[in-house]
């Protein structure tokens, strides 16, 4: 049976179609989910894609966190459903308290778009198992509110528990504390990161790299072997 991975579309989502394409390239079936629909339609995993949901009014991801679909996503994520938040999706996951910390505006106060070098710190989550710990990859980055912040206690806890999933290398593009580019929850089923792996899945489109494809093959293998 083909694994079904849902991609939620919020008002202002930009990368939902790209994410669906990445899922299809990995060999799974993408399922479009609508923000007003609480029903996840029996998907095996969920991706919250990038964009500017609700125009990032109030705070990035703050309104989407209360969308009807998120009520079910939060409930199911706590029960073990794999969830990936990309850029705006990462912001939504912090607003929903499925991931620790929060996101603020870039320290230089400008939108940034670049091919970003990352180091994989945790290769044992549902979304990173096809990487190796310490592996360096290049993933496109584009954000305005990408500065990851948390109090020192939370940061120390993330470090001690191996919950920093990705770290910026060479350049910290937005002032994120401790160069954190992505984190995971304790169970490893919920992962969020600011860079966009869906834009690095085939050599002729996007960045010209395929460094992002293992996100989607990782979850596929986990679902198939579950």
């Amino acid at each position: 049976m083909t694994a079904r991975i849902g991609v939620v579309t919020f008002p202002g989502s930009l990368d939902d179609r790209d994410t669906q394409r990445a899922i299809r390239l990995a060999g799974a079936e993408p399922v479009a989910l609508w923000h007003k629909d609480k029903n996840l339609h029996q998907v095996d995993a969920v991706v919250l894609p990038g964009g500017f949901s609700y125009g990032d009014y109030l705070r990035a991801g703050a309104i989407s966190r209360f969308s009807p679909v998120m009520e079910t996503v939060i409930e199911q994520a706590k029960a073990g459903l794999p969830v990936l938040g990309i850029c705006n999706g990462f912001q939504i996951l912090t607003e929903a308290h499925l991931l620790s910390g929060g996101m603020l505006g870039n320290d230089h106060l400008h939108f940034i778009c670049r091919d970003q070098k990352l180091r994989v710190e945790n290769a044992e989550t549902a979304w990173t198992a096809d990487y190796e710990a310490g592996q360096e990859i290049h993933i496109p980055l584009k954000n305005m509110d990408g500065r990851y912040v948390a109090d020192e206690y939370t940061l120390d806890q993330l470090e001690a528990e191996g919950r920093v999933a990705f770290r910026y290398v060479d350049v910290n593009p937005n002032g994120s504390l401790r160069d954190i580019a992505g984190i995971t929850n304790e169970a490893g089923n919920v992962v969020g990161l600011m860079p966009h792996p869906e834009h690095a899945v085939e050599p002729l489109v996007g960045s010209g790299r395929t460094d992002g494809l293992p996100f989607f093959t990782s979850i596929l293998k986990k679902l198939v072997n579950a």
Side-chain angles (χ1 to χ4, degrees):
M1 182 179 294
T2 303
R4 290 162 46 85
I5 302 178
V7 180
V8 179
T9 297
F10 300 95
S13 294
L14 299 178
D15 301 297
D16 43 349
R17 296 294 182 89
D18 301 78
T19 303
Q20 291 176 27
R21 179 178 177 81
I23 290 168
R24 192 176 294 111
L25 285 171
E29 177 188 350
V31 178
L33 300 176
W34 186 238
H35 68 109
K36 287 188 175 181
D37 188 0
K38 291 185 179 182
N39 190 340
L40 298 185
H41 301 280
Q42 299 179 319
V43 297
D44 303 299
V46 168
V47 180
L48 306 181
F52 300 91
S53 60
Y54 291 93
D56 279 348
Y57 292 121
L58 298 184
R59 214 172 35 249
I63 300 177
S64 293
R65 175 260 180 273
F66 293 102
S67 291
V69 71
M70 287 304 298
E71 180 179 328
T72 311
V73 169
I74 292 168
E75 176 185 326
Q76 293 299 312
K78 290 179 178 178
L81 179 75
V83 178
L84 174 65
I86 302 171
C87 195
N88 190 232
F90 183 14
Q91 295 161 342
I92 295 170
L93 290 176
T94 62
E95 291 288 338
H97 304 297
L98 287 175
L99 291 176
S100 303
M103 313 299 298
L104 294 177
N106 298 340
D107 60 351
H108 45 71
L109 303 180
H110 294 287
F111 180 85
I112 188 169
C113 182
R114 56 172 288 138
D115 196 20
Q116 178 65 46
K117 189 175 183 181
L118 306 176
R119 182 170 60 249
V120 180
E121 302 284 19
N122 185 333
E124 298 180 4
T125 78
W127 299 92
T128 61
D130 265 1
Y131 292 110
E132 295 182 4
Q135 181 179 350
E136 294 186 350
I137 59 178
H138 289 80
I139 302 290
L141 175 77
K142 50 176 186 173
N143 63 70
M144 181 67 187
D145 299 293
R147 177 161 51 114
Y148 180 77
V149 296
D151 58 66
E152 286 298 311
Y153 175 82
T154 299
L155 292 169
D156 289 343
Q157 189 177 42
L158 290 172
E159 301 275 14
E161 296 177 0
R163 289 163 54 199
V164 175
F166 298 91
R167 217 180 294 269
Y168 297 117
V169 176
D170 294 341
V171 174
N172 184 326
N174 45 37
S176 290
L177 298 181
R178 303 194 188 182
D179 299 327
I180 291 174
I183 61 174
T184 179
N185 66 343
E186 292 182 20
N189 63 304
V190 179
V191 171
L193 79 161
M194 287 309 297
H196 288 258
E198 77 279 10
H199 294 325
V201 293
E202 51 188 334
L204 295 179
V205 178
S207 70
R209 301 174 183 268
T210 59
D211 291 7
L213 191 59
F215 276 88
F216 306 101
T217 57
S218 292
I219 189 59
L220 179 58
K221 289 179 180 178
K222 176 177 176 57
L223 295 173
V224 169
N225 295 326

